[in-house]
Amino acid sequence: MSASNAVKIGLLGCGTVGSGVVVLLNDNRDHVTQRLGRPVEIKSILEMDTRKTDALGIAPRMVTQDIGSIIDDPEIETVVEVMGGIEPARTYILEALEKGKNVVTANKDLIALHGKELFEKASEKHRDLYFEASVGGGIPIIAPLKQSLVANNINFIYGIVNGTTNYILTKMSLEGKDYEGTLKEAQRLGYAEADPTSDVGGHDAARKISILASIAFGARVTYPDVYVEGITNITPLDIAYGKELGYTLKLLAIAKEENGAIEVRVHPAFIPDRHPLASVNDVFNAVFIRGDFVGDIMLYGRGAGQRPTASAIVGDIIEVARNSEHGDTGRISCTCFEQKRIKPISEVKTRYYLRILVKDRPGVLAGIAGVFGNQQVSIASVIQKRTEDSMAELVFVTHQVEEGNLQDSLKIISGMAIVGKVSNVIRVEGEETLI
Ligand code: NAP
Ligand code: HSE
């Protein structure tokens, strides 16, 4: 039976996350009611595939294929968008805000691309647009950045924000298996999608770090602003060589601000074994943040999955309902108040691991070192690894160098007669984040 004082919501989509929201609101009904002072009830669900709603025991009268019946329902205070994708999700959210609804969404693709438009509409209508679940699944990260840490200048964010790739890299590191085999196993176990492109290509992480960077630095960063490399070129050999050097390989999402310019990138990176992020394994996510007053913080947990993501969404629903009760929706809206330059990758300064196959004969090392020297690339260490068929593998680690200089030197080195190939280039990060 419906309680007359209940917060009524409309749910758009009843897939993995939508089902989680239904289950949480059912299982924790009393708990939620006590915390909020009134129950939260799903009044209507937009879902084409009624087998999904039937499986949850949802009455057919609550399921609709007509968005209008949710958006035009004056009883519905908050629309929860968990359909995913850009359209029609974007249009539905804009229409819901226009009609005076609050919106809770998990849709990182949409926020990372159309955030500005959506937040402007929410501000115009003095309504809440909450999106905690869009980054880090169940890990609270949006609210901490917008509220608890707002007094700090954020120096940087280093995140492991994609569970699929973290699972694959963890297995490759622990079991020495290759990328392709590990991906297949992850797909078999349900840790990777049938089409894994967005995850293994780094795009999912790029969307998430663009959202975090926008909040942290008070300037809009969109998904296309992010430099992205995925994990598909990683080999067990690189992971093993990195281990010998004291490094763990992770897909890192990095955002930094320096002198008013933002750098924002996603790529595989070696980090020191003693870095807190090095022990974040399997599908777990973590976000490591430095603020000028708070110092270092790491938030760790499950970055995806039905229950953790539902936890974040229902947390948002309750917060929005509290705001609504006090006529206070729209209080914390868009936190971007200025424009900042996004650095091209060529200006980024970091350290590099380089694996280069060369002819095994005198003068080769000196020839390569000469090119690096001319391009202002300073070598921190070099090791000669396996030798085969008169070829040797050299593994260099550089000091900090500007990416443009490194790439220029690699172009010259690749063309040298003494060089077989530049087998891999992996950035080395995180040493400056250790105290
Ligand atoms: P999902 O399992 O594919 O669920 C989406 C649901 O929405 C499906 O049931 C789909 O129905 C329905 N839907 C899509 N378009 C629709 C439309 N136009 N009208 C009516 N129903 C429609 O996806 P999900 O994993 O729950 O993810 C939902 C959102 O949460 C995405 O934005 C995702 O990025 C985000 N998210 C997911 C996770 C996670 O762990 N899964 C974590 C964090 C954030 P059909 O299948 O019948 O089309
Ligand atoms: N596909 C994502 C991951 C989960 O592997 O972390 C949804 O954000």
Side-chain angles (χ1 to χ4, degrees):
M1 218 180 66
S2 174
S4 59
N5 66 340
V7 177
K8 299 226 168 38
I9 64 170
L11 190 65
L12 312 188
C14 197
T16 306
V17 178
S19 301
V21 172
V22 172
V23 171
L24 194 162
L25 285 174
N26 193 38
D27 289 3
N28 287 4
R29 184 183 163 87
D30 292 347
H31 177 91
V32 168
T33 304
Q34 281 164 356
R35 294 305 188 275
L36 182 59
R38 52 189 184 132
V40 175
E41 284 177 6
I42 297 174
K43 182 169 182 200
S44 192
I45 301 179
L46 181 79
E47 177 60 64
M48 305 297 167
D49 183 353
T50 49
R51 284 169 306 180
K52 291 178 185 168
T53 45
D54 288 349
L56 290 164
I58 293 164
R61 65 179 160 73
M62 287 174 60
V63 185
T64 179
Q65 283 79 45
D66 170 21
I67 184 67
S69 70
I70 292 181
I71 286 177
D72 294 323
D73 184 337
E75 275 194 353
I76 291 179
E77 287 182 28
T78 296
V79 168
V80 178
E81 186 277 306
V82 281
M83 294 163 33
I86 302 297
E87 287 293 355
R90 173 183 153 274
T91 303
Y92 290 174
I93 290 178
L94 287 170
E95 283 177 359
L97 291 166
E98 184 63 41
K99 296 273 165 78
K101 314 287 182 209
N102 300 295
V103 173
V104 171
T105 177
N107 196 330
K108 60 197 152 257
D109 304 34
L110 190 57
I111 301 283
L113 210 52
H114 295 287
K116 185 171 184 291
E117 179 188 27
L118 300 174
F119 291 115
E120 280 175 359
K121 179 57 75 182
S123 292
E124 181 197 323
K125 295 290 168 182
H126 304 286
R127 288 295 175 268
D128 280 338
L129 171 56
Y130 276 39
F131 52 101
E132 185 62 69
S134 65
V135 182
I139 305 173
I141 175 67
I142 306 294
L145 273 177
K146 281 196 170 193
Q147 296 170 46
S148 329
L149 299 173
V150 67
N152 289 262
N153 286 294
I154 301 296
N155 303 121
F156 58 72
I157 299 174
Y158 278 69
I160 295 173
V161 289
N162 182 268
T164 304
T165 46
N166 204 37
Y167 177 85
I168 292 172
L169 292 177
T170 303
K171 288 290 164 215
M172 286 178 73
S173 298
L174 295 180
E175 296 167 15
K177 289 186 182 155
D178 68 3
Y179 166 74
E180 287 298 339
T182 313
L183 169 64
K184 282 204 180 85
E185 191 195 326
Q187 284 171 320
R188 192 176 53 78
L189 294 170
Y191 293 138
E193 305 269 348
D195 176 1
T197 319
S198 170
D199 292 317
V200 300
H203 308 289
D204 175 74
R207 292 179 175 109
K208 292 167 178 168
I209 196 69
S210 75
I211 295 171
L212 296 185
S214 299
I215 303 169
F217 306 131
R220 176 71 47 205
V221 177
T222 63
Y223 162 58
D225 293 325
V226 184
Y227 172 82
V228 191
E229 272 176 38
I231 64 164
T232 51
N233 290 332
I234 297 300
T235 69
L237 202 60
D238 293 308
I239 293 178
Y241 288 170
K243 260 188 206 166
E244 288 174 31
L245 294 163
Y247 296 134
T248 302
L249 191 82
K250 294 290 177 192
L251 181 72
L252 281 194
I254 299 173
K256 292 184 188 180
E257 185 184 2
E258 218 175 51
N259 303 324
I262 296 173
E263 79 182 51
V264 59
R265 49 197 167 102
V266 170
H267 51 70
F270 281 122
I271 51 175
D273 290 338
R274 65 187 196 287
H275 194 286
L277 286 171
S279 55
V280 176
N281 283 327
D282 298 315
V283 293
F284 280 89
N285 284 200
V287 184
F288 186 83
I289 305 171
R290 180 171 294 168
D292 58 352
F293 274 71
V294 73
D296 292 349
I297 287 185
M298 189 162 95
L299 302 163
Y300 168 89
R302 291 190 183 275
Q306 194 167 66
R307 292 171 72 93
T309 311
S311 154
I313 288 183
V314 178
D316 276 355
I317 294 172
I318 292 171
E319 205 49 32
V320 168
R322 285 172 174 156
N323 291 340
S324 182
E325 218 164 272
H326 292 92
D328 220 6
T329 53
R331 187 175 56 91
I332 307 177
S333 192
C334 182
T335 48
C336 297
F337 59 94
E338 60 183 325
Q339 287 196 328
K340 289 182 183 169
R341 188 174 80 88
I342 310 286
K343 277 191 196 176
I345 189 69
S346 57
E347 285 181 26
V348 164
K349 273 192 186 160
T350 187
R351 302 183 65 199
Y352 295 83
Y353 154 103
L354 311 164
R355 178 159 64 89
I356 305 180
L357 193 66
V358 296
K359 292 195 172 150
D360 194 9
R361 65 177 196 222
V364 168
L365 185 55
I368 292 177
V371 176
F372 281 139
N374 291 338
Q375 300 296 325
Q376 310 301 315
V377 177
S378 172
I379 303 299
S381 69
V382 56
I383 314 169
Q384 178 160 338
K385 305 301 292 186
R386 67 197 173 115
T387 309
E388 234 174 68
D389 300 332
S390 73
M391 299 296 281
E393 197 148 53
L394 297 178
V395 172
F396 294 87
V397 178
T398 73
H399 287 297
Q400 280 233 336
V401 50
E402 216 170 86
E403 172 110 6
N405 290 354
L406 191 273
Q407 294 299 347
D408 286 348
S409 61
L410 289 178
K411 255 184 231 144
I412 299 170
I413 287 168
S414 309
M416 291 167 87
I418 52 170
V419 173
K421 65 171 173 174
V422 176
S423 305
N424 219 340
V425 178
I426 298 174
R427 296 170 187 82
V428 178
E429 299 285 342
E431 260 147 2
E432 75 286 7
T433 69
L434 288 170
I435 297 175

